[in-house]
Amino acid sequence: MLIEQPPLFYRLLFPEAWWRIKHRRGRRVVYLTFDDGPIPEQTPWVLDLLDRYGIRATFFMVGDNVRRHPELLEEVRRRGHSYGNHTMHHLQGMKTRTSRYLADIEEADALIGSHLFRPPHGLLRWKQAHRLKRDYNIVMYDLVTRDYSRKLDGEQVLDNVRRYARNGSIIVFHDSLKASANMRYALPRAIEWLLSEGYEFHALPM
């Protein structure tokens, strides 16, 4: 659970971040998000699936992928989804000097142009967060599906959604090669389950 649903003590380290967006009683809303794209092997498949259900989501993009596939950013925009910055080179803040980390984000911003930012791995330094909150809404998560894990299969990834999803959850999947098999199995089934439980799907506001 420490990975799938971050505990309160970790959330309190970054109170300025979005972890969960609660809604009034009687309304159940979740926010699907996708990290590490866009890539032609995965992102169009995700977009087509979301279209099939009439769902809007949010894509946190690696700048270097946008540089190589700018048409995919345009396609995400065209289909009405929101999108955010996930650094230029998928840097982990805890392992990167603040000056380099911020420069990498700025390089990605020149290509992506969004005020939403999600740190890769959900890890960054306090100083980095303090600087970033001037220009970005820092988006963390309430539920990590762990579709990227080689220790889990698709059914276990789906089970994480069933176990931890709740009103206001910001849910993380990955439109990446590493997550391909698990994501393609779990995502459509997770959508079906969430719909059957009465959830609405919203994109994060940009």
Side-chain angles (χ1 to χ4, degrees), residues 122-140:
L123 299 172
L124 74 170
R125 303 175 191 271
W126 286 329
K127 184 177 181 181
Q128 293 164 351
H130 180 72
R131 292 282 299 278
L132 286 166
K133 71 180 182 180
R134 300 176 189 173
D135 301 309
Y136 296 93
N137 292 317
I138 301 171
V139 182
M140 292 295 202

Side-chain angles (χ1 to χ4, degrees), residues 57-77:
T58 306
F59 292 78
F60 287 94
M61 301 184 177
V62 174
D64 197 47
N65 287 338
V66 174
R67 179 186 62 78
R68 287 181 289 172
H69 309 291
E71 74 284 357
L72 292 179
L73 170 56
E74 293 306 315
E75 190 65 10
V76 166
R77 286 175 175 156

Side-chain angles (χ1 to χ4, degrees), residues 97-122:
R97 292 193 321 274
T98 294
S99 58
R100 184 188 172 208
Y101 192 66
L102 296 173
D104 200 76
I105 294 166
E106 187 174 338
E107 184 180 358
D109 181 60
L111 296 168
I112 298 167
S114 171
H115 290 294
L116 300 179
F117 172 75
R118 172 175 284 160
H121 309 286

Side-chain angles (χ1 to χ4, degrees), residues 5 11 25 43 76 100 104 110-111 120 124 126 134 154 158 165 171 181 183 191 200:
Q5 196 166 68
R11 297 171 194 245
R25 289 183 180 180
T43 308
V76 166
R100 184 188 172 208
D104 200 76
L111 296 168
L124 74 170
W126 286 329
R134 300 176 189 173
L158 176 59
I171 302 173
M183 185 271 289
I191 290 172
E200 303 171 32

